[in-house]
Amino acid sequence: MKTISENASFGGTQGVYSHASTACNCEMTFGLFLPAEARDGPVPVLWYLSGLTCTHENAMNKAGAQAWAAEHGIAVVFPDTSPRGDDVADDEAYDLGKGAGFYVNATQDPWKPHFQMWDYIAEELPTFLGAHFALDMDRQGITGHSMGGHGALTLAMNLPGRFLSVSAFAPIANPTSSDWGRKQLTAYLGEDDAKWAKHDASLLMADVGFDGPVLIDQGAADQFLDLLKPEALAAALASKRQQGSFRMQPAYDHSYFFVSTFMEDHVAFHAEALYGG
C-alpha cells in the first residue's frame, strides 16, 4: 500500500492510498476518512460509491461526509469508479470506460481484462481495508450517487447480510429499461439481458428486497430523470413493502449541491443502523 496523502479532518484523518489490485489488474486508488475513535479501536464503515466521470476525489472533496461521519464515529471509504492506467481500455464517451466501471464484472472485450469492479468492491477492497485499518467490517453501510447509487443498491441486495443499511442519491434505478443503462450493460456484459437483472436495483427490489432500512433521495429537477427512472424503484419499494423511504426533493438537480445538502441525513440514517438503533 502507498500513502498518497493524509490530512487532519474534523478530529480524524482523511487519507488517500493506492494499492495493486488483483481484481482490476492495475493500481487502484481510494480515499478513507477515519474518525478520532479509530485511534482506540475498530469503527463502523460507510461506503460511498461515486458516479460517472468521478474518481475517489469527487465525493471526498465535495460531499461533506467527513463532518457528519466524525460526529457519529464512522469511517467513510471513497473508492474509485473504474480501473486506471495506460493499458486500461477506454471510450471517447463519458459513460463508458474509465470513470464508468458501473460496478459490474465485465465479460466482454476490451473491458474484461480490467473492468472487474464488482469483485473489487465486494471482495478485494473490503479484505484489504480490514487488514490495514481499524475498521469493524461486521458493521458496514453503503451509499452512492447516480451510477454509485446503482452500485450501492445492487451490491446491498446481492450480498445479503453484508450491509446493515443502504441509501442512494439519484441512483440509476432501472438500467435495463433505460437507453443509458442498456448501453453500458451491453458493452460490459453482452447482449443476453438475462445477465443484467442482478445489476438492476428496481428488479432486485421487486424480487428480493433488502433485509434492512433503505433511504433514497432524488432531486425533482434532476436533468437526468428520464435516464434514472426513479419511478420504477419507488414502485418496487412499495410493491415489496420494503422498510425504507423514497424522497423526491423539490428543486434539486443531479449535482453535488444536492448530495451535500442531504448528506447529514444519510450519515445519520446509517449511524442508527450501524450502532444498533
Side-chain angles (χ1 to χ4, degrees), residues 50-82:
S50 290
L52 289 167
T53 75
C54 291
T55 70
H56 66 282
E57 288 187 304
N58 297 72
M60 188 180 79
N61 293 337
K62 297 179 181 179
Q66 292 90 341
W68 311 118
E71 183 175 304
H72 293 284
I74 294 171
V76 186
V77 184
F78 304 96
D80 203 347
T81 57
S82 77

PDB file of all heavy atoms in Angstrom, residues 50-82:
ATOM      1  N   SER A  50     -19.159   6.522  -6.041  1.00  0.00           N
ATOM      2  CA  SER A  50     -19.376   7.717  -6.860  1.00  0.00           C
ATOM      3  C   SER A  50     -19.946   7.382  -8.231  1.00  0.00           C
ATOM      4  O   SER A  50     -20.000   6.217  -8.638  1.00  0.00           O
ATOM      5  CB  SER A  50     -18.067   8.488  -7.011  1.00  0.00           C
ATOM      6  OG  SER A  50     -17.690   9.082  -5.798  1.00  0.00           O
ATOM      7  N   GLY A  51     -20.320   8.440  -8.944  1.00  0.00           N
ATOM      8  CA  GLY A  51     -20.994   8.303 -10.223  1.00  0.00           C
ATOM      9  C   GLY A  51     -20.076   8.476 -11.419  1.00  0.00           C
ATOM     10  O   GLY A  51     -18.852   8.569 -11.299  1.00  0.00           O
ATOM     11  N   LEU A  52     -20.685   8.524 -12.591  1.00  0.00           N
ATOM     12  CA  LEU A  52     -19.972   8.625 -13.850  1.00  0.00           C
ATOM     13  C   LEU A  52     -19.007   9.808 -13.877  1.00  0.00           C
ATOM     14  O   LEU A  52     -19.345  10.897 -13.396  1.00  0.00           O
ATOM     15  CB  LEU A  52     -20.963   8.764 -15.002  1.00  0.00           C
ATOM     16  CG  LEU A  52     -21.776   7.519 -15.355  1.00  0.00           C
ATOM     17  CD1 LEU A  52     -22.925   7.884 -16.291  1.00  0.00           C
ATOM     18  CD2 LEU A  52     -20.882   6.472 -16.008  1.00  0.00           C
ATOM     19  N   THR A  53     -17.856   9.587 -14.435  1.00  0.00           N
ATOM     20  CA  THR A  53     -16.741  10.536 -14.624  1.00  0.00           C
ATOM     21  C   THR A  53     -15.945  10.784 -13.345  1.00  0.00           C
ATOM     22  O   THR A  53     -14.915  11.446 -13.388  1.00  0.00           O
ATOM     23  CB  THR A  53     -17.174  11.895 -15.206  1.00  0.00           C
ATOM     24  OG1 THR A  53     -17.822  12.675 -14.192  1.00  0.00           O
ATOM     25  CG2 THR A  53     -18.107  11.734 -16.409  1.00  0.00           C
ATOM     26  N   CYS A  54     -16.390  10.284 -12.220  1.00  0.00           N
ATOM     27  CA  CYS A  54     -15.744  10.598 -10.944  1.00  0.00           C
ATOM     28  C   CYS A  54     -14.536   9.703 -10.678  1.00  0.00           C
ATOM     29  O   CYS A  54     -14.425   8.596 -11.208  1.00  0.00           O
ATOM     30  CB  CYS A  54     -16.724  10.447  -9.790  1.00  0.00           C
ATOM     31  SG  CYS A  54     -18.039  11.681  -9.769  1.00  0.00           S
ATOM     32  N   THR A  55     -13.665  10.187  -9.804  1.00  0.00           N
ATOM     33  CA  THR A  55     -12.614   9.385  -9.190  1.00  0.00           C
ATOM     34  C   THR A  55     -12.942   9.303  -7.699  1.00  0.00           C
ATOM     35  O   THR A  55     -14.048   9.691  -7.276  1.00  0.00           O
ATOM     36  CB  THR A  55     -11.232  10.037  -9.393  1.00  0.00           C
ATOM     37  OG1 THR A  55     -11.160  11.235  -8.596  1.00  0.00           O
ATOM     38  CG2 THR A  55     -10.984  10.372 -10.858  1.00  0.00           C
ATOM     39  N   HIS A  56     -11.984   8.838  -6.892  1.00  0.00           N
ATOM     40  CA  HIS A  56     -12.173   8.824  -5.447  1.00  0.00           C
ATOM     41  C   HIS A  56     -12.311  10.236  -4.885  1.00  0.00           C
ATOM     42  O   HIS A  56     -12.845  10.437  -3.797  1.00  0.00           O
ATOM     43  CB  HIS A  56     -10.981   8.145  -4.772  1.00  0.00           C
ATOM     44  CG  HIS A  56      -9.711   8.924  -4.934  1.00  0.00           C
ATOM     45  ND1 HIS A  56      -8.974   8.918  -6.104  1.00  0.00           N
ATOM     46  CD2 HIS A  56      -9.056   9.792  -4.103  1.00  0.00           C
ATOM     47  CE1 HIS A  56      -7.932   9.716  -5.975  1.00  0.00           C
ATOM     48  NE2 HIS A  56      -7.958  10.265  -4.773  1.00  0.00           N
ATOM     49  N   GLU A  57     -11.835  11.252  -5.632  1.00  0.00           N
ATOM     50  CA  GLU A  57     -11.734  12.605  -5.086  1.00  0.00           C
ATOM     51  C   GLU A  57     -13.060  13.361  -5.030  1.00  0.00           C
ATOM     52  O   GLU A  57     -13.247  14.200  -4.144  1.00  0.00           O
ATOM     53  CB  GLU A  57     -10.752  13.430  -5.920  1.00  0.00           C
ATOM     54  CG  GLU A  57      -9.305  13.048  -5.732  1.00  0.00           C
ATOM     55  CD  GLU A  57      -8.380  14.010  -6.452  1.00  0.00           C
ATOM     56  OE1 GLU A  57      -8.537  14.203  -7.670  1.00  0.00           O
ATOM     57  OE2 GLU A  57      -7.512  14.581  -5.771  1.00  0.00           O
ATOM     58  N   ASN A  58     -13.953  13.119  -5.979  1.00  0.00           N
ATOM     59  CA  ASN A  58     -15.134  13.979  -6.108  1.00  0.00           C
ATOM     60  C   ASN A  58     -15.952  14.045  -4.826  1.00  0.00           C
ATOM     61  O   ASN A  58     -16.175  15.121  -4.264  1.00  0.00           O
ATOM     62  CB  ASN A  58     -16.007  13.519  -7.274  1.00  0.00           C
ATOM     63  CG  ASN A  58     -15.289  13.641  -8.602  1.00  0.00           C
ATOM     64  OD1 ASN A  58     -14.383  12.868  -8.889  1.00  0.00           O
ATOM     65  ND2 ASN A  58     -15.676  14.614  -9.411  1.00  0.00           N
ATOM     66  N   ALA A  59     -16.393  12.903  -4.356  1.00  0.00           N
ATOM     67  CA  ALA A  59     -17.193  12.884  -3.129  1.00  0.00           C
ATOM     68  C   ALA A  59     -16.359  13.250  -1.915  1.00  0.00           C
ATOM     69  O   ALA A  59     -16.838  13.925  -0.995  1.00  0.00           O
ATOM     70  CB  ALA A  59     -17.835  11.516  -2.943  1.00  0.00           C
ATOM     71  N   MET A  60     -15.115  12.814  -1.905  1.00  0.00           N
ATOM     72  CA  MET A  60     -14.223  13.108  -0.788  1.00  0.00           C
ATOM     73  C   MET A  60     -14.100  14.611  -0.578  1.00  0.00           C
ATOM     74  O   MET A  60     -14.062  15.100   0.559  1.00  0.00           O
ATOM     75  CB  MET A  60     -12.853  12.492  -1.079  1.00  0.00           C
ATOM     76  CG  MET A  60     -11.862  12.541   0.064  1.00  0.00           C
ATOM     77  SD  MET A  60     -10.285  11.773  -0.391  1.00  0.00           S
ATOM     78  CE  MET A  60      -9.535  13.107  -1.349  1.00  0.00           C
ATOM     79  N   ASN A  61     -14.074  15.368  -1.680  1.00  0.00           N
ATOM     80  CA  ASN A  61     -13.892  16.818  -1.603  1.00  0.00           C
ATOM     81  C   ASN A  61     -15.189  17.613  -1.593  1.00  0.00           C
ATOM     82  O   ASN A  61     -15.196  18.761  -1.135  1.00  0.00           O
ATOM     83  CB  ASN A  61     -13.034  17.298  -2.782  1.00  0.00           C
ATOM     84  CG  ASN A  61     -11.607  16.790  -2.716  1.00  0.00           C
ATOM     85  OD1 ASN A  61     -11.114  16.444  -1.640  1.00  0.00           O
ATOM     86  ND2 ASN A  61     -10.944  16.729  -3.852  1.00  0.00           N
ATOM     87  N   LYS A  62     -16.277  17.044  -2.108  1.00  0.00           N
ATOM     88  CA  LYS A  62     -17.486  17.827  -2.331  1.00  0.00           C
ATOM     89  C   LYS A  62     -18.712  17.399  -1.515  1.00  0.00           C
ATOM     90  O   LYS A  62     -19.635  18.198  -1.336  1.00  0.00           O
ATOM     91  CB  LYS A  62     -17.883  17.768  -3.817  1.00  0.00           C
ATOM     92  CG  LYS A  62     -16.879  18.373  -4.772  1.00  0.00           C
ATOM     93  CD  LYS A  62     -17.388  18.232  -6.202  1.00  0.00           C
ATOM     94  CE  LYS A  62     -16.416  18.796  -7.212  1.00  0.00           C
ATOM     95  NZ  LYS A  62     -16.926  18.627  -8.601  1.00  0.00           N
ATOM     96  N   ALA A  63     -18.752  16.164  -1.053  1.00  0.00           N
ATOM     97  CA  ALA A  63     -19.995  15.658  -0.450  1.00  0.00           C
ATOM     98  C   ALA A  63     -20.192  16.097   0.986  1.00  0.00           C
ATOM     99  O   ALA A  63     -21.309  16.054   1.507  1.00  0.00           O
ATOM    100  CB  ALA A  63     -20.038  14.130  -0.533  1.00  0.00           C
ATOM    101  N   GLY A  64     -19.123  16.498   1.664  1.00  0.00           N
ATOM    102  CA  GLY A  64     -19.251  16.948   3.043  1.00  0.00           C
ATOM    103  C   GLY A  64     -19.515  15.846   4.042  1.00  0.00           C
ATOM    104  O   GLY A  64     -20.046  16.092   5.133  1.00  0.00           O
ATOM    105  N   ALA A  65     -19.115  14.626   3.713  1.00  0.00           N
ATOM    106  CA  ALA A  65     -19.423  13.492   4.587  1.00  0.00           C
ATOM    107  C   ALA A  65     -18.585  13.477   5.856  1.00  0.00           C
ATOM    108  O   ALA A  65     -19.032  12.965   6.893  1.00  0.00           O
ATOM    109  CB  ALA A  65     -19.210  12.185   3.814  1.00  0.00           C
ATOM    110  N   GLN A  66     -17.373  14.021   5.819  1.00  0.00           N
ATOM    111  CA  GLN A  66     -16.448  13.868   6.950  1.00  0.00           C
ATOM    112  C   GLN A  66     -16.985  14.483   8.237  1.00  0.00           C
ATOM    113  O   GLN A  66     -16.850  13.894   9.322  1.00  0.00           O
ATOM    114  CB  GLN A  66     -15.085  14.478   6.605  1.00  0.00           C
ATOM    115  CG  GLN A  66     -14.318  13.741   5.518  1.00  0.00           C
ATOM    116  CD  GLN A  66     -14.623  14.252   4.121  1.00  0.00           C
ATOM    117  OE1 GLN A  66     -15.644  14.910   3.906  1.00  0.00           O
ATOM    118  NE2 GLN A  66     -13.751  13.963   3.166  1.00  0.00           N
ATOM    119  N   ALA A  67     -17.599  15.653   8.144  1.00  0.00           N
ATOM    120  CA  ALA A  67     -18.100  16.311   9.357  1.00  0.00           C
ATOM    121  C   ALA A  67     -19.137  15.451  10.063  1.00  0.00           C
ATOM    122  O   ALA A  67     -19.096  15.292  11.297  1.00  0.00           O
ATOM    123  CB  ALA A  67     -18.699  17.671   9.001  1.00  0.00           C
ATOM    124  N   TRP A  68     -20.049  14.889   9.291  1.00  0.00           N
ATOM    125  CA  TRP A  68     -21.123  14.093   9.888  1.00  0.00           C
ATOM    126  C   TRP A  68     -20.609  12.728  10.315  1.00  0.00           C
ATOM    127  O   TRP A  68     -21.040  12.200  11.354  1.00  0.00           O
ATOM    128  CB  TRP A  68     -22.288  13.969   8.904  1.00  0.00           C
ATOM    129  CG  TRP A  68     -22.676  15.296   8.333  1.00  0.00           C
ATOM    130  CD1 TRP A  68     -22.637  15.694   7.032  1.00  0.00           C
ATOM    131  CD2 TRP A  68     -23.136  16.435   9.075  1.00  0.00           C
ATOM    132  NE1 TRP A  68     -23.044  16.995   6.900  1.00  0.00           N
ATOM    133  CE2 TRP A  68     -23.353  17.470   8.131  1.00  0.00           C
ATOM    134  CE3 TRP A  68     -23.382  16.679  10.426  1.00  0.00           C
ATOM    135  CZ2 TRP A  68     -23.796  18.746   8.522  1.00  0.00           C
ATOM    136  CZ3 TRP A  68     -23.819  17.942  10.808  1.00  0.00           C
ATOM    137  CH2 TRP A  68     -24.022  18.945   9.862  1.00  0.00           C
ATOM    138  N   ALA A  69     -19.672  12.149   9.560  1.00  0.00           N
ATOM    139  CA  ALA A  69     -19.085  10.867   9.951  1.00  0.00           C
ATOM    140  C   ALA A  69     -18.298  11.014  11.251  1.00  0.00           C
ATOM    141  O   ALA A  69     -18.336  10.132  12.124  1.00  0.00           O
ATOM    142  CB  ALA A  69     -18.182  10.348   8.833  1.00  0.00           C
ATOM    143  N   ALA A  70     -17.596  12.127  11.400  1.00  0.00           N
ATOM    144  CA  ALA A  70     -16.862  12.374  12.644  1.00  0.00           C
ATOM    145  C   ALA A  70     -17.816  12.493  13.824  1.00  0.00           C
ATOM    146  O   ALA A  70     -17.526  12.002  14.926  1.00  0.00           O
ATOM    147  CB  ALA A  70     -16.028  13.648  12.511  1.00  0.00           C
ATOM    148  N   GLU A  71     -18.943  13.132  13.599  1.00  0.00           N
ATOM    149  CA  GLU A  71     -19.928  13.296  14.676  1.00  0.00           C
ATOM    150  C   GLU A  71     -20.431  11.957  15.179  1.00  0.00           C
ATOM    151  O   GLU A  71     -20.696  11.776  16.371  1.00  0.00           O
ATOM    152  CB  GLU A  71     -21.096  14.138  14.156  1.00  0.00           C
ATOM    153  CG  GLU A  71     -22.153  14.442  15.202  1.00  0.00           C
ATOM    154  CD  GLU A  71     -23.221  15.383  14.668  1.00  0.00           C
ATOM    155  OE1 GLU A  71     -22.859  16.483  14.204  1.00  0.00           O
ATOM    156  OE2 GLU A  71     -24.408  15.001  14.716  1.00  0.00           O
ATOM    157  N   HIS A  72     -20.547  10.980  14.279  1.00  0.00           N
ATOM    158  CA  HIS A  72     -21.089   9.669  14.645  1.00  0.00           C
ATOM    159  C   HIS A  72     -20.013   8.604  14.845  1.00  0.00           C
ATOM    160  O   HIS A  72     -20.337   7.455  15.163  1.00  0.00           O
ATOM    161  CB  HIS A  72     -22.068   9.195  13.570  1.00  0.00           C
ATOM    162  CG  HIS A  72     -23.309  10.026  13.477  1.00  0.00           C
ATOM    163  ND1 HIS A  72     -24.340   9.929  14.389  1.00  0.00           N
ATOM    164  CD2 HIS A  72     -23.695  10.961  12.580  1.00  0.00           C
ATOM    165  CE1 HIS A  72     -25.310  10.768  14.052  1.00  0.00           C
ATOM    166  NE2 HIS A  72     -24.941  11.407  12.964  1.00  0.00           N
ATOM    167  N   GLY A  73     -18.746   8.940  14.637  1.00  0.00           N
ATOM    168  CA  GLY A  73     -17.685   7.956  14.822  1.00  0.00           C
ATOM    169  C   GLY A  73     -17.677   6.865  13.769  1.00  0.00           C
ATOM    170  O   GLY A  73     -17.474   5.688  14.084  1.00  0.00           O
ATOM    171  N   ILE A  74     -17.856   7.261  12.513  1.00  0.00           N
ATOM    172  CA  ILE A  74     -17.943   6.311  11.407  1.00  0.00           C
ATOM    173  C   ILE A  74     -16.836   6.600  10.393  1.00  0.00           C
ATOM    174  O   ILE A  74     -16.570   7.764  10.065  1.00  0.00           O
ATOM    175  CB  ILE A  74     -19.319   6.414  10.713  1.00  0.00           C
ATOM    176  CG1 ILE A  74     -20.419   5.973  11.670  1.00  0.00           C
ATOM    177  CG2 ILE A  74     -19.376   5.604   9.422  1.00  0.00           C
ATOM    178  CD1 ILE A  74     -21.822   6.238  11.141  1.00  0.00           C
ATOM    179  N   ALA A  75     -16.205   5.552   9.873  1.00  0.00           N
ATOM    180  CA  ALA A  75     -15.256   5.694   8.773  1.00  0.00           C
ATOM    181  C   ALA A  75     -16.022   5.750   7.453  1.00  0.00           C
ATOM    182  O   ALA A  75     -17.104   5.182   7.326  1.00  0.00           O
ATOM    183  CB  ALA A  75     -14.289   4.516   8.750  1.00  0.00           C
ATOM    184  N   VAL A  76     -15.467   6.450   6.463  1.00  0.00           N
ATOM    185  CA  VAL A  76     -16.069   6.526   5.137  1.00  0.00           C
ATOM    186  C   VAL A  76     -15.027   6.144   4.091  1.00  0.00           C
ATOM    187  O   VAL A  76     -13.929   6.717   4.070  1.00  0.00           O
ATOM    188  CB  VAL A  76     -16.626   7.924   4.813  1.00  0.00           C
ATOM    189  CG1 VAL A  76     -17.368   7.905   3.474  1.00  0.00           C
ATOM    190  CG2 VAL A  76     -17.548   8.417   5.918  1.00  0.00           C
ATOM    191  N   VAL A  77     -15.377   5.192   3.237  1.00  0.00           N
ATOM    192  CA  VAL A  77     -14.498   4.743   2.160  1.00  0.00           C
ATOM    193  C   VAL A  77     -14.976   5.369   0.854  1.00  0.00           C
ATOM    194  O   VAL A  77     -16.168   5.300   0.522  1.00  0.00           O
ATOM    195  CB  VAL A  77     -14.513   3.217   2.014  1.00  0.00           C
ATOM    196  CG1 VAL A  77     -13.501   2.776   0.953  1.00  0.00           C
ATOM    197  CG2 VAL A  77     -14.228   2.543   3.341  1.00  0.00           C
ATOM    198  N   PHE A  78     -14.036   5.941   0.103  1.00  0.00           N
ATOM    199  CA  PHE A  78     -14.328   6.540  -1.198  1.00  0.00           C
ATOM    200  C   PHE A  78     -13.527   5.798  -2.276  1.00  0.00           C
ATOM    201  O   PHE A  78     -12.416   6.210  -2.618  1.00  0.00           O
ATOM    202  CB  PHE A  78     -13.939   8.025  -1.219  1.00  0.00           C
ATOM    203  CG  PHE A  78     -14.586   8.868  -0.149  1.00  0.00           C
ATOM    204  CD1 PHE A  78     -13.916   9.144   1.033  1.00  0.00           C
ATOM    205  CD2 PHE A  78     -15.854   9.411  -0.341  1.00  0.00           C
ATOM    206  CE1 PHE A  78     -14.496   9.937   2.015  1.00  0.00           C
ATOM    207  CE2 PHE A  78     -16.436  10.209   0.637  1.00  0.00           C
ATOM    208  CZ  PHE A  78     -15.768  10.474   1.819  1.00  0.00           C
ATOM    209  N   PRO A  79     -14.045   4.712  -2.839  1.00  0.00           N
ATOM    210  CA  PRO A  79     -13.306   4.001  -3.885  1.00  0.00           C
ATOM    211  C   PRO A  79     -13.335   4.767  -5.209  1.00  0.00           C
ATOM    212  O   PRO A  79     -14.155   5.673  -5.412  1.00  0.00           O
ATOM    213  CB  PRO A  79     -14.070   2.677  -4.036  1.00  0.00           C
ATOM    214  CG  PRO A  79     -15.031   2.627  -2.894  1.00  0.00           C
ATOM    215  CD  PRO A  79     -15.298   4.041  -2.502  1.00  0.00           C
ATOM    216  N   ASP A  80     -12.446   4.387  -6.108  1.00  0.00           N
ATOM    217  CA  ASP A  80     -12.515   4.899  -7.468  1.00  0.00           C
ATOM    218  C   ASP A  80     -13.674   4.215  -8.196  1.00  0.00           C
ATOM    219  O   ASP A  80     -14.226   3.209  -7.733  1.00  0.00           O
ATOM    220  CB  ASP A  80     -11.192   4.643  -8.197  1.00  0.00           C
ATOM    221  CG  ASP A  80     -10.962   5.584  -9.374  1.00  0.00           C
ATOM    222  OD1 ASP A  80     -11.915   6.269  -9.792  1.00  0.00           O
ATOM    223  OD2 ASP A  80      -9.828   5.619  -9.887  1.00  0.00           O
ATOM    224  N   THR A  81     -14.020   4.752  -9.361  1.00  0.00           N
ATOM    225  CA  THR A  81     -15.175   4.246 -10.106  1.00  0.00           C
ATOM    226  C   THR A  81     -14.807   3.283 -11.224  1.00  0.00           C
ATOM    227  O   THR A  81     -15.697   2.732 -11.872  1.00  0.00           O
ATOM    228  CB  THR A  81     -15.961   5.411 -10.736  1.00  0.00           C
ATOM    229  OG1 THR A  81     -15.069   6.165 -11.570  1.00  0.00           O
ATOM    230  CG2 THR A  81     -16.538   6.316  -9.660  1.00  0.00           C
ATOM    231  N   SER A  82     -13.514   3.097 -11.456  1.00  0.00           N
ATOM    232  CA  SER A  82     -13.087   2.215 -12.544  1.00  0.00           C
ATOM    233  C   SER A  82     -11.606   1.929 -12.402  1.00  0.00           C
ATOM    234  O   SER A  82     -10.902   2.609 -11.652  1.00  0.00           O
ATOM    235  CB  SER A  82     -13.344   2.867 -13.911  1.00  0.00           C
ATOM    236  OG  SER A  82     -12.356   3.856 -14.182  1.00  0.00           O
TER     237      SER A  82
END
